[in-house]
Amino acid sequence: MLLLLALGLSIQSAISAEPQTNGNERQTIVVLGDSLAAGFGLDLSEAFPALLQKKIEAAGLKFSVVNAGLSGDTSAGGLRRIDWLLKRRV
């Protein structure tokens, strides 16, 4: 399981480990955060999770990035949503 809880992680550290998968299965990275993760004011393709996905694909890694950022979110808000977010396999 790989779950990014803060944008303070560098893209390089986020993609440095090979995914623990069987065959061609892609693992999922969920990015929680506030408007910075959500990409407020940006085209969604320019938000941090989309840029992270591009780096992952360029590195040939088998991860899919989900943008769970929400403008105005706080760590308490993320904590309230975490159980719902983890219903999907990450």
Side-chain angles (χ1 to χ4, degrees):
M1 177 191 310
L2 180 55
L3 179 64
L4 297 178
L5 296 175
L7 294 178
L9 297 174
S10 72
I11 291 173
Q12 185 60 40
S13 67
I15 64 173
S16 62
E18 283 290 326
Q20 304 288 322
T21 63
N22 295 327
N24 292 326
E25 182 182 342
R26 294 177 73 89
Q27 287 194 341
T28 301
I29 298 171
V30 175
V31 179
L32 286 175
D34 56 13
S35 57
L36 295 174
F40 182 76
L42 298 174
D43 185 81
L44 289 180
S45 66
E46 297 175 339
F48 173 77
L51 298 177
L52 179 60
Q53 182 69 60
K54 289 176 188 174
K55 290 282 190 177
I56 288 169
E57 289 170 0
L61 299 174
K62 296 178 183 177
F63 289 103
S64 295
V65 179
V66 173
N67 186 347
L70 183 63
S71 292
D73 205 9
T74 63
S75 56
L79 183 60
R80 282 190 299 272
R81 294 186 303 127
I82 196 73
D83 287 337
W84 178 76
L85 291 167
L86 292 178
K87 285 183 180 180
R88 105 180 264 153
R89 186 177 171 162
V90 297

